Structures are given as structure tokens and as C-alpha cells.
Amino acid sequence: MSVREHDLGEIRDAVAKLCATFPMEYWRETDRERRYPTEFVRALTAAGWLSCLIPEEYGGAGLKLSAAAAILEEIQRSGANGAACHAQMYTMGTVLRHCSEAQKKKYLPKIAKGELRLQAFGITEPSAGTDTSSIRTAAVRKGDRYVVNGQKVWTSRAEHSDLMLLLARTTPREDVQKKTDGLSVLLVEMKAALGRGLTIRPIRTMINHATTEIFIDSLEVPAENLVGEDGQGFRCVLDGMNAERILIGAECIGDARWFLAKATAYANEREVFGRPIGQNQGVQFPIARAYMATEAAALMVERAAALYDAGKPCGPESNMAKQLAAEASWQAGDMCLQTHGGFGFAEEYDVERKFRETRLYQVAPISTNLVLCYLAEHVLGLPRSY
């Protein structure tokens, strides 16, 4: 199934209708209880949206990343939280480009049917942070298996995923010329691993993100679960990271548009001193500025997705898309809260929940400072700063 420009409108409408069946009270309850939105994820899976990037021969829709971006944007625009399931889309950047044919035939049909979830991406570690080349999790080849030891953190949805892409060092850093060499990606079957070397511990955070830390103690992973070539895992995850940045950017655009609609409606309805507060330029101007920032960022997200879909290099564009969209959503969120005044802090208005959720993307999946460092060095030619 190919995706054309006019198809995106149909996709957006269908996703919006599905999201409308999950009222805001549903999201308030899941947030309040720190509960995983299982019903919502099942509905998206049944409708085929979470398998949109999987090729038709494996049971998916075979759509492009631009379509996945539209899906996630609409989820956020509806007031929902796509973070509960977005990894099943951005991990496809690694899976589709680097998994073997045997691996694709084994896992993709089951993922497309909803029999398996691929929601976990195990990369970040406590001691390394965003310095991926410094990770310490090690995988040693022993016959037909890798024996893995280490720790991961901020591995969201690990408790709700059947599969995890795990980045580990298969060659010690001191034995490689380039620090990003010697890293490999393994596909871990979570249920088989739990209690046999894999331990998952939830981390309670300011948002309902189902994030965890993972402890790995002599976990055996079949060698056939190696994704791509041994020692070339960094290249494999880069495809997933670029897709992740673009899709997170799309989510931020959706958040920003939700904030804008919410603030505009409230500014038109709320009357103080005998007139709508939206009549005051002190209220109008922040809304207008947030709108401009959102529309500009949306163009960069579209450009990055187009380059990715065309198979062209898109590192700078993916990073700029994520950064600009995250800044726009935060600007819109701050504006929306300010427009609502004290009511913005009340749970029933949903602003405070979305305000907390969108703040995450100033930090994840990569901090804004590192995006700036990347652009300074690799695009502008400035000296390396770290």
C-alpha cells in the first residue's frame, strides 16, 4: 500500500476518530494511576496503525515514515499520549534496514497481528548517558550464543514489550580504532529472558511514561538474534535514532496544536472585566507567536521525513526537526497554561498533564544541548566541544 499526499488526510481523519473514542477522562485516569493504556494500544494495533511501517509481505501496510509521523501527530493532537506505543514505529528504522530476512519473517508478521510488541529500545546507561560509545553493557560470543552483562536505564515500556532491541559492546573499546566500532544490536525476547538474567525495575517519574531500568546478568541471547553485522551496531541504531527524532518531532507538533486549540478556545470563552480575555493583546500575542513557531517547526519535520523516506542522509534535518518541534510544543504548552491561569493547574482541564508530558522532549530522546553540539560540529564545521 503506497502513501500519497492526499492519503495523509484520510489517515489523520481515521486516527482522530479512533482517538475520540478515548475521552480525556481515560487519559486522566491512566495518568493518575500511572497505568499503561493497554486498551488504547490494543485499539491502535487492531486498526493497523502500529504496523503501518511494516511491509505488506509481512502483514503490515507498507507506509512511509511521513505516514507514521501523521499518525503520531494526530494522536497527540487529540490529547492522547502516543509515547505508550511510538517505539513500535521508530524501531522499524533499525529492523527494516538491518534485520535479516529470517528475522523479519519470524517477528514482523506477529508484530503486525499484535501477537508481539516491539516497544523497547535498550541503549542508554547510567554511566554513559547520551555518550553511546561509552556504554559498558558487554556481549561475549560463546558458541551459538552471546552472554550479556550490564545495565540500561530509561528503557521505556520494557514491562509491556515482548521484544527489545539491545545495544551492547561486543569488542572492548580499547580494542577498536573508532570508538563507535565494536557495538552490536541484539534482538532480545523479553519473556524468555525475564528471570533468566534479565530484571526490570520501574522508575516513577513526573509523567506516566512506563520507563524502567534494566539489569542484565549473564543473559544468553542466541547468536541468530544479532541484528546486522557484529561490531556495526552503531550504524544500525542511527537509522532508528533518526526515525525516532522525526517521529518525536511529529508528536511535539501534535502537542503544540492541541495547546493552541485549547488556549484559543479558552481565550474566546473566558470573560474577565466584561469581555473575552482573548480580546487583550497580552493574551493574543503569545498564542500567535506559538502558532508561528509550530508551523515553522512542522515544515522541518516534513522535510526530515521526506528525506528519510527517499533514503537520503537526514541527520541534521532529523535533529533540527526534533529540537524545533520540542521548543515549539514547550512554548505552546507554557502559553496555554498561562492563558488558563489557575485553571491550567486543575486536572480536569488536561493542560497540566500535557504540560508535563511535552516537557520531556527538551531532554529526550536527546538533550537540546547535544543537538546544538552536533550541528555546530558536523554542519557548521566548528571545533568539537565534547
Side-chain angles (χ1 to χ4, degrees), residues 40-213:
F40 180 70
V41 175
R42 284 176 178 167
L44 285 174
T45 302
W49 298 124
L50 292 189
S51 60
C52 68
L53 294 176
I54 296 176
E56 289 181 289
E57 60 263 37
Y58 305 111
L63 301 182
K64 295 182 178 180
L65 193 73
S66 55
I71 291 167
L72 289 174
E73 181 189 326
E74 287 304 316
I75 290 173
Q76 300 302 112
R77 190 174 188 172
S78 76
N81 188 1
C85 50
H86 58 194
Q88 195 140 304
M89 293 186 181
Y90 65 68
T91 51
M92 288 298 130
T94 296
V95 172
L96 297 179
R97 295 188 177 187
H98 300 284
C99 275
S100 67
E101 185 60 29
Q103 290 169 336
K104 292 177 183 177
K105 288 181 178 178
K106 181 178 181 180
Y107 294 113
L108 289 180
K110 292 182 179 180
I111 293 173
K113 291 178 182 178
E115 296 174 5
L116 292 176
R117 287 182 187 161
L118 174 53
Q119 289 288 355
F121 210 6
I123 296 181
T124 307
E125 298 184 6
S127 61
T130 48
D131 183 6
T132 304
S133 64
S134 294
I135 65 170
R136 297 179 180 178
T137 296
V140 179
R141 179 73 181 262
K142 293 186 177 181
D144 62 351
R145 295 185 175 272
Y146 285 93
V147 178
V148 189
N149 288 279
Q151 181 182 355
K152 297 293 180 179
V153 72
W154 312 126
T155 308
S156 300
R157 300 161 301 276
E159 294 179 292
H160 306 281
S161 183
D162 299 295
L163 301 169
M164 172 176 63
L165 290 177
L166 178 70
L167 185 68
R169 185 163 283 286
T170 48
T171 303
R173 185 169 174 173
E174 58 270 19
D175 294 340
V176 295
Q177 292 184 341
K178 191 177 180 182
K179 63 182 181 180
T180 53
D181 289 341
L183 298 170
S184 300
V185 176
L186 298 172
L187 193 56
V188 178
E189 296 184 3
M190 304 289 278
K191 291 181 180 178
L194 281 173
R196 296 182 176 86
L198 182 70
T199 302
I200 302 173
R201 293 182 184 173
I203 300 174
R204 187 173 176 86
T205 63
M206 68 184 287
I207 55 175
N208 183 29
H209 204 69
T211 198
T212 70
E213 56 184 337

Side-chain angles (χ1 to χ4, degrees), residues 138-315:
V140 179
R141 179 73 181 262
K142 293 186 177 181
D144 62 351
R145 295 185 175 272
Y146 285 93
V147 178
V148 189
N149 288 279
Q151 181 182 355
K152 297 293 180 179
V153 72
W154 312 126
T155 308
S156 300
R157 300 161 301 276
E159 294 179 292
H160 306 281
S161 183
D162 299 295
L163 301 169
M164 172 176 63
L165 290 177
L166 178 70
L167 185 68
R169 185 163 283 286
T170 48
T171 303
R173 185 169 174 173
E174 58 270 19
D175 294 340
V176 295
Q177 292 184 341
K178 191 177 180 182
K179 63 182 181 180
T180 53
D181 289 341
L183 298 170
S184 300
V185 176
L186 298 172
L187 193 56
V188 178
E189 296 184 3
M190 304 289 278
K191 291 181 180 178
L194 281 173
R196 296 182 176 86
L198 182 70
T199 302
I200 302 173
R201 293 182 184 173
I203 300 174
R204 187 173 176 86
T205 63
M206 68 184 287
I207 55 175
N208 183 29
H209 204 69
T211 198
T212 70
E213 56 184 337
I214 292 177
F215 299 89
I216 306 169
D217 183 13
S218 298
L219 173 67
E220 295 187 358
V221 179
E224 64 187 29
N225 283 25
L226 173 70
V227 176
E229 298 180 29
D230 190 302
Q232 300 301 311
F234 188 76
R235 297 178 184 176
C236 296
V237 298
L238 278 181
D239 283 324
M241 288 177 175
N242 283 335
E244 180 183 40
R245 284 153 175 64
I246 295 168
L247 294 177
I248 293 296
E251 288 187 57
C252 288
I253 296 301
D255 277 344
R257 287 175 170 160
W258 184 89
F259 285 125
L260 284 162
K262 191 82 171 176
T264 300
Y266 187 79
N268 276 314
E269 297 166 2
R270 175 66 168 166
E271 291 190 2
V272 179
F273 300 115
R275 64 180 189 174
I277 62 172
Q279 191 172 340
N280 300 308
Q281 290 179 340
V283 175
Q284 290 181 355
F285 288 1
I287 298 176
R289 287 187 177 277
Y291 174 77
M292 287 193 294
T294 299
E295 293 304 301
L299 292 174
M300 182 55 72
V301 173
E302 291 176 13
R303 179 180 177 186
L307 289 171
Y308 187 95
D309 286 337
K312 297 179 180 179
C314 61

